[in-house]
Amino acid sequence: MTTITPVLLAGGAGTRLWPLSRKSYPKQFAKLMGEESLFQGSARRLSGAGFKAPIVVTGDPFRFIVTEQLAGLGMMPEAVLIEPSARNTAPAVAAAALYVSSRDPDGLLLIAPSDHVIPDQEGFRAALEAAAKRAAPSDIVTFGITPTRPETGYGYLELAKGGNPQAAAPQPLARFVEKPDAARAAEMIADGGYLWNAGIFLASAAELIAAYEAHAPETLALSRAALEAAKADLGFTRLDPAAWEELQDVSIDYAIMEKARNLVVMPYGGCWSDLGGWEAVWQASTPDADGTAVSPGSLAIDCRDTLLRSEAQGQRIVGIGLEDIVAIATPDAVLVTRKSQSQRAKEAVTALRAEGARQAESFPVDHRPWGHFESLARGARFQVKRIVVKPGAALSLQSHHHRAEHWIVVEGTARVTIGEEVRLVTENQSVYVPLGAVHRLENPGKVEVVLIEVQTGTYLGEDDILRYEDVYART
């Protein structure tokens, strides 16, 4: 197979699978289907013989999550392009195509969302090999999924007259079809000449750029300006904010694919899901004979067509006599909805955001480049956190205007700086950080450091930090 550079798109607002997916940690980074995140599954699927190291396009809050999850697979990215703000897929793909073109204009790019599930890796690779034969000369190949039901949540691809939806080679494409209503979806399934639009594209960098030049020249020009003025930052490539902010928020489908004349579609008949809602997760979770799917920690008694998931260690969720129900329990939020209404989860996010509820966008667990922390208890003038610091990692040298901190180490050994004093604090030992003191916490060992932090003060927000030094270049 011709060597392919995967371009993994790893943005997203994290609303459709609330409360498991949120803005601070969207679904591609969650372990929805097994022990690997969807992002890791995508990276693994597009690796090995025939693939170069991936290019990842993501937002600033996720850059360290990306590298950490790739490191968990033993992988290093070719590049991580940081979008200054979300501008949909057309600018993201343009930036990636320009990046590859500067090194290999004829290099093939596979543009793929990082939150899809494709269990049959061999079958998908066979489809890629067939698609590459058309993409390598001069075509753009999009991937169409054999539909299994009249789905209203997907866009469709209409094959041109004479196209075979079961073919093992790319087929001529007539047009893109927007998400239909139920009646129209049923008509298209009965017709047989339609495929689901997977949002996956294979083309050379040169052909993609030519398509932008023909159909979206302003997007290409601004993306080029953002890339040319990009700044290197700890191995990441930060696209220039000034040029990026001028870009239109537009999808690649609308910007170029619906207008391109050299577009063909590669049918794929294997199992596929974009996990675009809880009903899709239920379908991908292989329900039992009664149509019920449960996670560890969940128990279904006399239930039908139901999904139960418990997302907290030690938490149990029990359903009795349920039908057409989705119930998702996380430590700080619970969603209960009819499965047929589960696409409306994003309405809950909108309503909670209007109330100012942190559950709308944030988790109790907050992921940082050095590890993570979770809030255990909070009152008017205190907060208790559990903090985990990865081996070799360090928090910034910092101080606080409004709070003091008490640290109790429960696992590992921490190196603690307070003012001019530096000392080791081991398991069962504690240390006090006075209000205003310049301090730092480091893990010099080879195992995680776990500590309990008790904050006391008039203001306990995460923005009460004055950083003096930071190995992760945060301000």
Side-chain angles (χ1 to χ4, degrees):
M1 184 174 69
T2 304
T3 304
I4 293 171
T5 297
V7 176
L8 297 175
L9 305 178
T15 59
R16 293 187 292 174
L17 290 180
W18 186 89
L20 181 58
S21 172
R22 306 184 197 180
K23 182 179 179 180
S24 67
Y25 203 77
K27 68 174 180 176
Q28 63 264 27
F29 302 120
K31 295 179 180 179
L32 271 162
M33 306 300 297
E35 292 304 309
E36 291 182 344
S37 71
L38 301 179
F39 174 78
Q40 288 176 310
S42 298
R44 185 185 294 279
R45 181 167 59 250
L46 305 179
S47 65
F51 292 101
K52 294 184 178 180
I55 293 172
V56 183
V57 186
T58 191
D60 181 75
F62 312 128
R63 65 194 191 282
F64 292 108
I65 299 173
V66 163
T67 53
E68 181 178 355
Q69 292 202 354
L70 287 176
L73 301 175
M75 296 174 61
M76 286 285 291
E78 166 66 23
V80 178
L81 306 184
I82 306 298
E83 298 175 288
S85 59
R87 285 295 184 268
N88 215 315
T89 54
V93 173
L98 290 165
Y99 183 93
V100 172
S101 177
S102 66
R103 291 153 174 78
D104 181 10
D106 296 322
L108 283 184
L109 284 72
L110 180 69
I111 312 299
S114 61
D115 56 2
H116 290 187
V117 173
I118 306 176
D120 183 5
Q121 296 195 29
E122 291 185 7
F124 186 67
R125 178 172 281 256
L128 275 179
E129 291 177 354
K133 295 175 183 177
R134 287 293 296 270
S138 59
D139 285 326
I140 299 174
V141 183
T142 185
F143 285 73
I145 309 300
T146 303
T148 57
R149 60 189 181 277
E151 175 61 60
T152 60
Y154 299 148
Y156 285 72
L157 302 168
E158 181 183 0
L159 296 179
K161 186 175 181 180
N164 179 3
Q166 280 82 44
Q171 299 296 295
L173 178 65
R175 64 187 180 107
F176 285 70
V177 180
E178 296 294 330
K179 295 176 182 178
D181 60 23
R184 179 59 181 144
E187 291 174 1
M188 289 191 288
I189 296 299
D191 177 277
Y194 293 83
L195 300 168
W196 287 337
N197 179 9
I200 301 173
F201 302 95
L202 180 67
S204 70
E207 285 302 320
L208 282 172
I209 292 171
Y212 276 97
E213 288 173 339
H215 307 295
E218 184 177 2
T219 296
L220 182 67
L222 289 170
S223 298
R224 178 179 280 115
L227 184 62
E228 289 176 349
K231 298 278 195 285
D233 176 12
L234 297 176
F236 304 106
T237 300
R238 290 187 176 275
L239 299 169
D240 179 62
W244 198 260
E245 292 304 321
E246 295 184 41
L247 280 158
Q248 184 181 1
D249 185 322
V250 61
S251 72
I252 188 173
D253 285 14
Y254 183 79
I256 64 171
M257 296 304 177
E258 294 180 7
K259 305 164 186 172
R261 298 295 184 184
N262 59 335
L263 195 67
V264 294
V265 57
M266 180 67 216
Y268 178 69
C271 182
W272 167 90
S273 177
D274 73 343
L275 297 186
W278 284 114
E279 186 167 15
V281 174
W282 167 78
Q283 290 164 343
S285 299
T286 59
D288 63 18
D290 293 322
T292 295
V294 299
S295 71
S298 303
L299 176 64
I301 300 173
D302 192 26
C303 294
R304 285 173 170 71
D305 297 327
T306 288
L307 174 66
L308 302 177
R309 288 185 69 121
S310 171
E311 300 296 337
Q313 187 175 2
Q315 179 189 67
R316 300 301 301 270
I317 178 171
V318 179
I320 302 176
L322 303 178
E323 185 170 351
D324 185 41
I325 291 294
V326 167
I328 313 297
T330 66
D332 66 334
V334 177
L335 171 71
V336 181
T337 177
R338 290 199 176 279
K339 181 161 56 63
S340 54
Q341 297 287 307
S342 60
Q343 285 279 0
R344 299 177 63 188
K346 57 188 176 183
E347 295 178 27
V349 177
T350 301
L352 289 170
R353 188 183 292 127
E355 292 180 2
R358 72 182 306 275
Q359 288 92 334
E361 297 184 345
S362 301
F363 282 101
V365 176
D366 195 323
H367 293 267
R368 297 299 171 96
W370 45 259
H372 64 270
F373 66 83
E374 59 183 312
S375 181
L376 303 178
R378 185 165 188 159
R381 293 177 62 92
F382 79 92
Q383 181 172 207
V384 181
K385 292 181 177 180
R386 178 178 179 268
I387 298 177
V388 179
V389 184
K390 296 182 292 189
L395 281 67
S396 60
L397 185 67
Q398 60 186 253
S399 65
H400 308 294
H401 293 297
H402 302 288
R403 71 175 185 254
E405 297 171 341
H406 301 255
W407 296 339
I408 304 99
V409 175
V410 295
E411 292 181 33
T413 298
R415 181 188 293 126
V416 174
T417 299
I418 303 176
E420 299 298 323
E421 181 185 6
V422 180
R423 60 178 164 133
L424 296 178
V425 182
T426 60
E427 189 173 318
N428 293 325
Q429 293 182 335
S430 62
V431 65
Y432 172 62
V433 182
L435 185 151
V438 176
H439 61 280
R440 190 198 321 254
L441 175 67
E442 302 172 80
N443 181 356
K446 296 182 179 180
V447 297
E448 290 181 338
V449 166
V450 181
L451 64 143
I452 302 300
E453 177 183 82
V454 180
Q455 301 177 351
T456 57
T458 57
Y459 178 72
L460 306 172
E462 289 303 316
D463 55 347
D464 180 24
I465 295 180
L466 179 59
R467 290 192 174 96
Y468 304 95
E469 296 177 7
D470 185 61
V471 296
Y472 308 107
R474 296 170 298 171
T475 57

